[in-house]
């Protein structure tokens, strides 16, 4: 398995993969809408030979903590082709992409996802709990790529338009 940034020629493969992974078209439509709106910060594919077997996308997220803008992104969606799940492709994509985001100066990442999956990468529901967001609970998690990036009392979060929140 290798990974690289997605290019427009990957669009159909990403749409098919995302629809297959989630068993419904909504997440693939979200990927397309985020791209249309110019809100994609990073889109990475996992490939085996010529075949796209995984995909992860991060979109721009408006975060202000105590009046201080934070360079942040939302992780969503991440997909691995059903026949290849559970073999570390998702974890490799998450780890590789977080490194790229850190290199680009992104300070924080939020995710709404499986509460047992994301903590292994350092995501924390406690860190996200103080953010004023459309989500709450164990599934809403945050990660600081720059230590202290979310330090403060009140943080407001605004998702890209395609989320429809
Ligand atoms: C979630 C997903 C991206 C993980 O990728 P993957 O390559 O299958 O996962 P990895 O091999 O890196 O990691 C396997 C771990 O993920 C966990 N996992 C996979 N799907 C999960 C789910 N739906 N809920 C909770 N945990 C899940 C497995 O239990 C396993 O945990 P373990 O390491 O403690 O045994 C992939 O399974 C997928 O595409 N699922 C369908 C779409 C989806 O739910 N996307 C994520 C939304 S937050």
């Amino acid at each position: 398995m290798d990974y690289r940034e997605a290019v427009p020629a990957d669009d159909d493969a990403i749409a098919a993969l995302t629809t297959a992974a989630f068993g419904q078209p909504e997440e693939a439509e979200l990927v397309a809408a985020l791209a249309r709106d110019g809100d994609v910060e990073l889109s990475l594919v996992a490939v085996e030979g010529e075949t796209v077997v995984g995909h992860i996308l991060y979109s721009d997220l408006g975060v202000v903590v105590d009046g201080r803008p934070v360079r942040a992104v939302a992780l969503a969606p991440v997909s691995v082709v059903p026949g290849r799940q559970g073999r570390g492709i998702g974890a490799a994509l998450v780890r590789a992409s977080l490194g790229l985001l850190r290199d680009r100066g992104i300070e924080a990442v939020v995710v709404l996802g499986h509460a047992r999956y994301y903590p292994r990468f350092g995501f924390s529901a406690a860190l996200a709990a103080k953010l004023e967001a459309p989500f709450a609970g164990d599934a809403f998690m945050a990660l600081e790529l720059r230590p202290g990036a979310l330090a403060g009392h009140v943080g407001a979060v605004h998702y890209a338009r395609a989320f429809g929140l």
Side-chain angles (χ1 to χ4, degrees), residues 61-72 107-108 110 127-128 130-132 142 144 146 148-158:
L61 186 77
V63 175
V64 178
V65 176
D66 291 346
R68 186 182 79 246
V70 178
R71 284 195 68 193
E107 299 174 290
V110 304
L127 189 60
K130 67 174 178 185
L131 298 172
E132 284 173 7
E144 290 177 338
R146 182 180 66 74
L150 297 175
H153 297 297
V154 184
V157 169
H158 297 285

Side-chain angles (χ1 to χ4, degrees), residues 14-16 18-19 22 24-33 77:
I14 291 171
T18 306
T19 303
F22 283 89
Q24 58 180 40
E26 280 79 1
E27 287 76 11
E29 289 163 9
L30 173 65
V31 170

Side-chain angles (χ1 to χ4, degrees), residues 59-123:
S59 55
D60 299 322
L61 186 77
V63 175
V64 178
V65 176
D66 291 346
R68 186 182 79 246
V70 178
R71 284 195 68 193
V73 292
L75 189 179
V78 53
S79 313
V80 172
V81 72
R84 301 276 206 290
Q85 291 177 5
R87 299 182 189 177
I89 293 173
L93 270 179
V94 172
R95 293 204 169 93
S97 55
L98 291 177
L100 291 172
L101 292 169
R102 188 182 287 110
D103 292 346
R104 291 180 182 191
I106 300 297
E107 299 174 290
V109 184
V110 304
V111 65
L112 181 73
H114 306 303
R116 289 193 322 280
Y117 189 58
Y118 292 96
R120 70 190 67 186
F121 310 110
F123 284 90

